[in-house]
Amino acid sequence: MYFGASKETILFARYLRQNMTGAEKILWEHIRKEKLGVKFRNQHPLYKYVVDFFCFELLLFIEVDGSIH
């Protein structure tokens, strides 16, 4: 499910979920709870990265750029 993510990456993803940027929070409100017909995960660890949003059904990754990037 995490495609080889280390424990540190998983813990970092948890931290990021608790501290989402404003842009991430707005998008999350629109795509959460299968509002688009598919399930998205936020701040999902994949290998050594954490993607902002991930849909396993579609194999779709979404990265939200903001002032941090």
Side-chain angles (χ1 to χ4, degrees):
M1 182 145 134
Y2 300 122
F3 301 100
S6 67
K7 184 173 182 163
E8 292 80 20
T9 304
I10 293 170
L11 292 174
F12 184 57
R14 182 180 297 161
Y15 169 80
L16 291 175
R17 276 192 297 277
Q18 296 169 351
N19 298 287
M20 293 193 327
T21 66
E24 290 169 345
K25 288 178 186 178
I26 290 169
L27 181 57
W28 182 237
E29 286 302 316
H30 291 284
I31 65 174
R32 66 186 296 204
K33 296 185 180 178
E34 298 188 28
K35 290 181 181 178
L36 299 178
V38 291
K39 181 178 181 176
F40 278 89
R41 299 173 183 274
N42 68 326
Q43 305 302 335
H44 188 72
L46 296 171
Y47 183 50
K48 61 180 180 178
Y49 305 102
V50 177
V51 297
D52 291 336
F53 303 100
F54 175 59
C55 175
F56 186 77
E57 288 179 61
L58 303 174
L59 293 179
L60 175 68
F61 305 88
I62 300 174
E63 280 293 315
V64 179
D65 285 339
S67 61
I68 292 176
H69 297 288

